[in-house]
Amino acid sequence: MKLVVTGCAGFIGSAFVRTTLELNAASRIVNLDKLTYAGNLENLASVAQDPRYRFVQGDIADAAVVEALLAEEKPDAIVHFAAESHVDRSIHAPTPVFETNLRGTFTLLEAARAAKLARFVHVSTDEVYGSIDAPHEADESYPLKASSPYSASKAGSDLLALSYFTTYKLPVLVTRASNNYGPFQFPEKLIPLMISNALDGRDLPIYGDGQQVRDWLYVDDHCAGIRAVLNQGQAGEVYNIGGNCSLPNLEVVRRILKATGQPDSLMKTVTDRPGHDRRYALTSEKLEKETGWSPQMDFDRGLALTVDWYRDNREWVERVRSGEYRRFYDVNYAQR
Ligand code: NAD
Ligand code: DAU
């Protein structure tokens, strides 16, 4: 399969490129990425010389760039990862969230429609279901109830993508995954932030009471789920991809402190995130039944691998933490 993938200089997209090429599961991958603060070509250094891989710097909201790329590459499918992906940033600065997640997705869908593309996988999130009371969990028909500008933009782009199937018969598939973790994740998200701060002996900022629950999915399991949807999913359908691992944030942070050998006293309670969703929970039964996929990584093993990676890649962390990251850290944490 010849793929155009968007946003693969980021965390999950780069893992998708590395693992897909390693498994020989695509004959060519063209990565269209704008290189925002979250895009880092270092994440793709291991495949940069691979003749099956090409990088194109560009904005998914730029119709001319997208149309020219599809005309030149004639891919079998688009896998669409590119997004502004951080909830806190979406609260401080929603404009790029709208531009990329909504306008960018619209631009890609329009170009895909014109090019009569055979498959379009839109990578989305369980955040679109909003906070879910225990013991319920969302299946794919659960109502959408987005809380942040980020989750609202993802819910909107999911609906837009599905409308292209209903109206234009563009073979769109939507995936909704839970919280990912693993190597190369930008240290603004819970797990990499807490690991990198713990390794430096810095404070670990816990929003509110820390009892919010997330389902944790190892990034390579997510990528395998996306490949299962790409190859075996039904057009026009939505597929949840979860890790079967629900934990309160405080428990995750305690395990990080244990894995890094740091004391619990590093944990500091700070002002809660506005509109903070209390609990995410989903079932991936549909994907498991239709494709045979299931998450393989045990959380403690995945966390140990991730801690080791951050310990061994301090220079990567230092480089991404310089410049823009410091400004964001001040904006997000100084007032809390
Ligand atoms: P990320 O922030 O690490 O990477 C995003 C990438 O998109 C970056 O390389 C960035 O340069 C690129 N990008 C941003 N705007 C762009 C634009 N206008 N044009 C081209 N490229 C652009 O994100 P991630 O965590 O890897 O998430 C990837 C996708 O998976 C997103 O769609 C996100 O909503 C979804 N998702 C993430 C998680 C998670 O836990 N991180 C869970 C479920 C779903
Ligand atoms: O559920 C999937 C979603 O998971 C993805 O769609 C998003 O792209 C991804 O960012 C993630 O969203 P969350 O808001 O759940 O992830 P985050 O890592 O920002 O926060 C996880 C939990 O940890 C949440 O309850 C907020 C809390 N938290 C986070 C940070 C950054 C803290 O307590 N302190 C922090 O400093």
Side-chain angles (χ1 to χ4, degrees):
M1 238 192 199
K2 211 170 143 181
L3 304 177
V4 164
V5 287
T6 68
C8 288
F11 164 51
I12 304 169
S14 67
F16 181 81
V17 173
R18 291 191 306 271
T19 53
T20 303
L21 290 178
E22 204 173 288
L23 292 165
N24 224 351
S27 56
R28 181 166 174 81
I29 299 187
V30 180
N31 170 19
L32 174 63
D33 195 302
K34 185 178 174 181
L35 297 185
T36 66
Y37 78 91
N40 183 352
L41 290 179
E42 279 187 60
N43 301 355
L44 290 161
S46 63
V47 298
Q49 303 307 321
D50 190 315
R52 297 169 297 173
Y53 169 74
R54 176 185 173 199
F55 169 64
V56 175
Q57 183 167 7
D59 188 338
I60 57 162
D62 185 335
V65 166
V66 174
E67 284 162 17
L69 187 64
L70 295 191
E72 185 189 353
E73 291 288 343
K74 298 186 179 46
D76 300 305
I78 288 181
V79 184
H80 173 35
F81 291 96
E84 288 293 332
S85 70
H86 192 37
V87 172
D88 293 319
R89 284 182 190 258
S90 86
I91 293 168
H92 296 298
T95 306
V97 177
F98 170 80
E99 288 297 331
T100 290
N101 301 6
L102 285 163
R103 221 164 65 79
T105 302
F106 167 68
T107 307
L108 280 177
L109 288 164
E110 272 295 276
R113 174 165 83 95
K116 297 190 171 34
L117 204 84
R119 218 134 166 96
F120 187 113
V121 178
H122 173 66
V123 177
S124 189
T125 166
D126 67 348
E127 289 211 25
V128 299
Y129 300 122
S131 200
I132 295 173
D133 289 336
H136 303 290
E137 46 185 29
D139 65 11
E140 290 79 358
S141 64
Y142 203 82
L144 304 189
K145 192 175 168 294
S147 305
S148 69
Y150 165 72
S151 52
S153 73
K154 294 299 287 190
S157 59
D158 285 17
L159 294 177
L160 190 64
L162 291 168
S163 80
Y164 272 63
F165 173 75
T166 308
T167 305
Y168 303 117
K169 305 291 172 244
L170 181 71
V172 166
L173 302 99
V174 173
T175 62
R176 293 186 181 141
S178 59
N179 285 59
N180 282 220
Y181 70 102
F184 296 99
Q185 187 169 26
F186 196 82
E188 63 188 356
K189 310 277 166 53
L190 181 76
I191 287 186
L193 178 85
M194 298 297 170
I195 293 175
S196 50
N197 279 15
L199 290 173
D200 287 349
R202 295 189 199 186
D203 288 351
L204 309 188
I206 313 284
Y207 295 168
D209 64 5
Q211 292 303 331
Q212 304 84 3
V213 172
R214 296 293 184 265
D215 172 80
W216 292 100
L217 172 68
Y218 193 69
V219 65
D220 290 355
D221 280 332
H222 184 189
C223 294
I226 292 170
R227 277 189 296 271
V229 170
L230 173 67
N231 295 319
Q232 298 165 256
Q234 299 288 323
E237 292 292 317
V238 177
Y239 293 91
N240 287 348
I241 310 181
N244 286 337
C245 176
S246 283
L247 290 171
N249 294 338
L250 267 185
E251 176 59 26
V252 171
V253 175
R254 284 204 185 99
R255 292 194 201 187
I256 289 171
L257 286 168
K258 199 166 163 216
T260 52
Q262 294 286 21
D264 281 9
S265 56
L266 283 185
M267 289 194 277
K268 295 281 176 309
T269 297
V270 300
T271 312
D272 208 351
R273 172 187 279 174
H276 199 168
D277 283 332
R278 196 75 184 156
R279 176 175 176 270
Y280 295 146
L282 78 173
T283 169
S284 335
E285 233 176 78
K286 178 175 169 180
L287 181 63
E288 295 181 14
K289 275 197 183 133
E290 283 189 29
T291 71
W293 172 91
S294 63
Q296 300 298 306
M297 184 62 82
D298 162 77
F299 183 71
D300 285 320
R301 194 163 75 82
L303 192 61
L305 288 174
T306 307
V307 168
D308 284 350
W309 189 87
Y310 281 88
R311 199 182 264 125
D312 295 345
N313 289 276
R314 303 293 282 268
E315 287 174 7
W316 181 94
V317 174
E318 281 320 308
R319 278 195 291 276
V320 301
R321 262 182 180 170
S322 62
E324 196 279 340
Y325 181 79
R326 293 211 180 120
R327 191 200 57 78
F328 165 72
Y329 207 88
D330 283 349
V331 168
N332 195 49
Y333 294 100
Q335 305 305 322
R336 281 200 138 99

